[in-house]
Amino acid sequence: MKLWGIGKWCVTALLVVSLCGCGQTAGDGSVSTAETSAAASVEEVEEVVVEPDYIVYPAFFDKTFTADSHMLTMSNSKSNEVDFQFVIADYDGSVLFSSDPVAPGEKVQWDVTERWHGRSHTIYITCTPILADGTEGNSSTQEILITIDL
């Protein structure tokens, strides 16, 4: 049998099935056997717990700090199921701040005036998820420019 003959046969079978109305309800309100057995099999399935497919990482943007507003806030989304650890480093890699694990929906703040009292500085904020088994997930590092205008 030629291959184009198989394709022609498949198209013909598809047309016949669609014209017969297989799987549809009858006009009198009855339900086909296929639909009834499919519904019964769905009810027999146990509940399956699905692990989250993703983690929401916070985004940081360049920011100007003043005498009235000199705290950098780092928060963990309440939709996450993991803690985050935040590490702030200077341009040379020296660690300026390191948080304890921050639970979902919680936040931690760092006072930028602990380190500087003027000018602009580039800092690197690394967010590391702490998984349920205590291991670290994939980190995300963002570079931002902070300006301190006191």
Side-chain angles (χ1 to χ4, degrees):
M1 181 181 287
K2 294 182 181 178
L3 290 180
W4 67 270
I6 294 173
K8 187 175 179 181
W9 182 85
C10 288
V11 170
T12 304
L14 181 63
L15 287 173
V16 170
V17 167
S18 64
L19 291 174
C20 290
C22 294
Q24 296 180 359
T25 57
D28 62 357
S30 63
V31 178
S32 72
T33 308
E35 286 182 87
T36 306
S37 61
S41 65
V42 170
E43 292 174 12
E44 296 170 8
V45 176
E46 292 182 27
E47 182 179 334
V48 177
V49 178
V50 178
E51 294 296 322
D53 292 332
Y54 60 91
I55 296 172
V56 177
Y57 286 82
F60 298 97
F61 304 97
D62 295 349
K63 184 170 177 154
T64 298
F65 295 92
T66 65
D68 295 330
S69 171
H70 52 88
M71 302 297 282
L72 176 64
T73 302
M74 296 156 280
S75 60
N76 185 357
S77 173
K78 64 182 176 182
S79 66
N80 284 333
E81 295 182 9
V82 297
D83 292 348
F84 264 114
Q85 180 183 24
F86 297 95
V87 176
I88 300 175
D90 204 351
Y91 67 93
D92 64 0
S94 60
V95 174
L96 306 173
F97 173 82
S98 181
S99 75
D100 290 331
V102 178
E106 299 295 319
K107 64 183 177 182
V108 64
Q109 293 184 317
W110 177 59
D111 185 348
V112 298
T113 60
E114 287 180 9
R115 178 76 176 187
W116 300 293
H117 292 284
R119 302 187 341 214
S120 295
H121 304 276
T122 299
I123 61 172
Y124 301 89
I125 304 173
T126 301
C127 310
T128 305
I130 308 299
L131 306 177
D133 63 1
T135 60
E136 294 182 356
N138 294 329
S139 296
S140 169
T141 300
Q142 299 174 48
E143 176 182 326
I144 66 168
L145 178 67
I146 61 171
T147 303
I148 302 167
D149 187 18
L150 298 178

